[in-house]
Amino acid sequence: MKLPLDGVTVLEFCECMAGPYAGLRLADLGARVIKIERPIIGDKTRRTQTLNMNAGDDSVLFHTVNRNKESFEANLNNANDLELVKKLISKVDVITHGFRFETMERLGLDYKTVSEINHASSMHRLLVMAPMARGWTNRAKTL
């Protein structure tokens, strides 16, 4: 059975829950999702345990929101790794990230630069509301 997003490739620069969950939904609909992870430690959720449940060396929680994805290890502060990531960018349809805008600019992965690498790609930032120590505020925080 052909799924709605068959043939769509997503490059995911997200960790924890909101971003990976969005990528999970895209993968469930047939997209090929490539998750960029930091060398050695990967996504923080790999070590976030609930009820001491693991799947191999990773937490079950990590696998819950990252199933059906490929993983690509890259140090975004390393020029060689960044070039490899830019080659991936040239081939994808959608990019998701949970970084602050200034982080993407510092890495040379801001919207303007990415659109020069791949005119056809769509770039999306995931924004989450963060609870503060004294309750909710109207301030938003990026992952």
Side-chain angles (χ1 to χ4, degrees):
M1 179 175 85
K2 186 171 170 54
L3 294 172
L5 296 181
D6 278 346
V8 173
T9 303
V10 178
L11 193 58
E12 177 184 289
F13 295 87
C14 301
E15 60 179 26
C16 297
M17 295 302 289
Y21 185 76
L24 169 68
R25 304 313 309 173
L26 297 173
D28 286 347
L29 290 170
R32 175 184 180 203
V33 179
I34 304 168
K35 180 180 183 65
I36 303 296
E37 293 193 67
R38 292 176 285 176
I40 303 168
I41 60 174
D43 185 323
K44 293 175 191 172
T45 314
R46 284 186 181 273
R47 287 159 311 287
T48 305
Q49 295 183 350
T50 54
L51 304 174
N52 293 323
M53 295 173 62
N54 291 317
D57 293 333
D58 300 322
S59 74
V60 170
L61 181 63
F62 171 80
H63 289 285
T64 301
V65 294
N66 288 290
R67 69 174 184 263
N68 300 327
K69 296 181 188 179
E70 299 171 40
S71 181
F72 185 84
E73 186 177 287
N75 177 351
L76 299 177
N77 293 307
N78 175 290
N80 292 330
D81 285 4
L82 194 55
E83 282 307 309
L84 292 173
V85 167
K86 287 181 179 179
K87 286 181 183 177
L88 282 173
I89 287 171
S90 73
K91 300 174 186 318
V92 302
D93 304 295
V94 178
I95 298 165
T96 61
H97 76 87
F99 297 124
R100 295 180 191 95
F101 281 122
E102 58 269 16
T103 301
M104 294 303 272
E105 288 173 4
R106 179 181 55 78
L107 294 169
L109 299 175
D110 56 286
Y111 178 77
K112 182 176 185 256
T113 305
V114 165
S115 62
E116 290 170 1
I117 295 169
N118 183 341
H119 301 292
S121 69
S122 171
M123 188 170 185
H124 304 276
R125 182 178 119 193
L126 299 161
L127 184 69
V128 296
M129 298 304 292
M132 303 312 228
R134 293 194 170 116
W136 288 90
T137 69
N138 61 358
R139 293 170 41 191
K141 180 178 179 182
T142 55
L143 300 174

